[in-house]
Amino acid sequence: MTELIAVITITLLAVISPGPDFAMVTRNSLMLSRRAGVLTALGIGLGVLVHVTYTLVGMGLLIQQSLWLFNSIKLVGAVYLVYLGVKMLRSKPAGTLADSAVAPLSDAAALRIGLLTNALNPKTTVFIVSLFMQVVRPDTPLAMQIGYGAFISVAHMAWFSLVAVCFSTGAVRDRLLAVRHWIDRAFGGLLVGFGVLLAVARGSH
């Protein structure tokens, strides 16, 4: 019971802390649609399952012990965030309000962006690996550990779906679409900043 409470508490605190996931869901909800935001949130939850899966099969221990492997994952994640951010920073002002709409994103693309943003996020790597290596006991049944992983994934989906719904509310979205390019640039700057911070962070974990 103590272990379960610890997993739930740490997960909830980790989920609501700002990061690339929050920036991406917020941006897609504001600039595109509620559907795109929710699908991005579902992709983030699937990304969490990637971290849970490799942790449960033993790769988590390897990542924890191998500085080279961890830094490689960190660098790939940093490059991906900077790539997304630069694309947003290149956003140009729309000539008319009708032109202010962002190019539509397919359901699969929205899901993929969410999945990659989370799966390549070293912050989530550290969170999942640390949780399973330090909080979850080695003798905890595998079924229970899988249940923890499912809870962490669902918690991410639920929180970021809520974020998507809030930021795609008509009144909020209509006011902000007029300054779409500035919002796009702001979120682009955040993602580039996250990427740079990851790239220059000390090689320890």
Side-chain angles (χ1 to χ4, degrees):
M1 182 59 69
T2 301
E3 181 181 274
L4 176 61
I5 293 173
V7 169
I8 292 174
T9 302
I10 294 171
T11 297
L12 294 179
L13 290 174
V15 168
I16 64 176
S17 63
D21 294 342
F22 183 86
M24 188 54 65
V25 170
T26 304
R27 184 263 176 187
N28 284 352
S29 302
L30 277 174
M31 301 295 98
L32 297 168
S33 65
R34 176 170 297 178
R35 183 183 182 86
V38 170
L39 284 168
T40 303
L42 296 181
I44 287 169
L46 294 177
V48 170
L49 291 180
V50 172
H51 297 286
V52 170
T53 300
Y54 67 63
T55 299
L56 290 181
V57 299
M59 280 295 292
L61 181 60
L62 177 60
I63 291 172
Q64 190 178 47
Q65 299 299 322
S66 173
L67 185 61
W68 177 86
L69 180 58
F70 178 79
N71 284 335
S72 297
I73 294 172
K74 184 174 69 173
L75 184 59
V76 171
V79 170
Y80 180 68
L81 290 179
V82 170
Y83 164 74
L84 291 177
V86 169
K87 284 181 65 177
M88 294 182 198
L89 283 171
R90 295 173 65 185
S91 175
K92 294 182 174 62
T96 65
L97 187 58
D99 295 331
S100 66
V102 180
L105 197 64
S106 69
D107 290 354
L111 199 67
R112 184 174 64 251
I113 285 177
L115 189 153
L116 290 176
T117 299
N118 185 273
L120 296 176
N121 184 359
K123 173 187 170 186
T124 311
T125 300
V126 173
F127 162 59
I128 298 293
V129 171
S130 298
L131 185 68
F132 278 87
M133 296 297 173
Q134 299 174 25
V135 177
V136 179
R137 296 189 308 273
D139 59 345
T140 296
L142 179 60
M144 181 68 75
Q145 294 191 41
I146 293 174
Y148 290 158
F151 167 74
I152 296 168
S153 175
V154 171
H156 277 75
M157 290 182 184
W159 167 253
F160 288 113
S161 291
L162 178 61
V163 170
V165 169
C166 291
F167 280 93
S168 60
T169 301
V172 174
R173 192 164 175 268
D174 290 344
R175 288 194 184 95
L176 294 176
L177 274 180
V179 290
R180 174 192 65 83
H181 64 289
W182 289 113
I183 296 172
D184 234 5
R185 290 174 183 176
F187 282 117
L190 280 175
L191 290 179
V192 169
F194 283 130
V196 171
L197 286 174
L198 285 176
V200 302
R202 289 184 177 275
S204 60
H205 59 288

